[in-house]
Amino acid sequence: MSIAEKIAHIHEAIAAACARSGRQPESVMLIGVSKTQPQSAILEAAAAGLQHFGENRVEECQTRIPAVNALLQTPVIWHMIGHIQSRKAKLVPGLFQVVHSVDSLKLAAKLSQSAQEGNTQLEVLLEINISGEENKQGLNAQNWAKDAAVREALWQEIAQIAALPALKLSGLMTMAPIVEEAEQARPVFAGLAALRESLSAALNLPLPALSMGMTDDYPVAIEEGATMIRVGRAIFGERII
Ligand SMILES: *Cc1c(COP(=O)(O)O)cnc(C)c1O
């Protein structure tokens, strides 16, 4: 299958998942995760109409994104989906329009400062560690529904992030644990959706975006309310590295 055919196939699967859950397919943004893929694959996907691309290494993107942008007729939107070391935060607003991986107040403050210096605004999502796995990035939300102390700490940190001047906080992102069956990831997706509802009410913040679901589990994520899915292998094939 060509990249264009794979993208068409994913749009069909998005429509089917939306039909099952009473949603509109337009409410789901497909982000093609192009990390490690050659420039030619990104250009092919863009030519097939894909408008959103996800990358995870700031340093590589310093050359990669401008090089791709220079070859595109219609601009695309670049999403940063990987961990950002705070000393690299200053590079981010010049390259990316959306950051999914804000996992601390410290990083958020640096991003806001660099966006402000660049006279721009940056859309951000907060990466949430719903399952509390230790090797995972993200703000700790393990047991948030039952544990008032966890919830208070989380709400407080997020309120401070939301108040930063050059960030537009639009929602939450999570990575589901690696599981054998997509169905096993459902509680994590449902958990992020529930956290969003509770947080949004507590802080009086509209948080429309839920970034969740990858190649192996995006239909389940859509059924649980994903508005952004991050799909790599189903579009570009297996990664070389
Ligand atoms: C690599 C990556 C993806 C895409 O994973 P696939 O399984 O290839 O779809 C999505 N989200 C993040 C944060 C990633 O690092």
Side-chain angles (χ1 to χ4, degrees), residues 1 25 40-41 43 54 75 85 94 100 107 112 121 142 145 155 165 167 212 232:
M1 261 203 284
S40 57
L43 295 172
Q85 291 167 285
H100 294 233
L107 172 62
S112 179
Q121 250 218 346
Q142 191 182 17
W155 279 194
L167 300 187
M212 56 189 196

Side-chain angles (χ1 to χ4, degrees), residues 120-141:
T120 173
Q121 250 218 346
L122 190 61
E123 177 179 347
V124 299
L125 287 78
L126 301 172
E127 181 168 358
I128 305 288
N129 183 355
I130 282 280
S131 49
E133 284 173 279
E134 275 191 21
N135 57 353
K136 221 173 215 161
Q137 309 291 345
L139 294 161
N140 175 34

Side-chain angles (χ1 to χ4, degrees), residues 10-110:
I10 295 167
H11 280 300
E12 282 168 28
I14 292 172
C18 284
R20 287 195 296 277
S21 46
R23 301 184 53 196
Q24 297 300 319
E26 302 75 44
S27 68
V28 180
M29 174 190 292
L30 173 60
I31 300 168
V33 177
S34 48
K35 64 188 186 195
T36 79
Q37 302 295 343
Q39 258 186 40
S40 57
I42 302 178
L43 295 172
E44 199 178 328
L50 195 64
Q51 291 168 334
H52 297 269
F53 291 86
E55 288 282 338
N56 68 343
R57 284 167 182 267
V58 176
E59 214 148 301
E60 274 175 31
C61 284
Q62 274 188 279
T63 48
R64 183 171 168 82
I65 289 180
V68 172
N69 283 346
L71 295 169
L72 288 171
Q73 255 111 61
T74 317
V76 298
I77 307 287
W78 293 97
H79 297 252
M80 175 61 198
I81 62 171
H83 181 63
I84 304 170
Q85 291 167 285
S86 47
R87 66 189 162 84
K88 295 190 184 143
K90 61 179 179 304
L91 301 170
V92 171
L95 297 169
F96 295 92
Q97 288 75 52
V98 189
V99 176
H100 294 233
S101 44
V102 172
D103 57 3
S104 70
L105 175 58
K106 182 182 167 198
L107 172 62
K110 295 215 162 169

Side-chain angles (χ1 to χ4, degrees), residues 33 35 56 81 173 175 214-215 230-233 239:
V33 177
K35 64 188 186 195
N56 68 343
I81 62 171
M173 176 271 223
M175 298 265 287
M214 322 199 320
T215 290
R230 310 178 308 266
V231 179
R233 289 165 300 138
R239 284 178 285 275

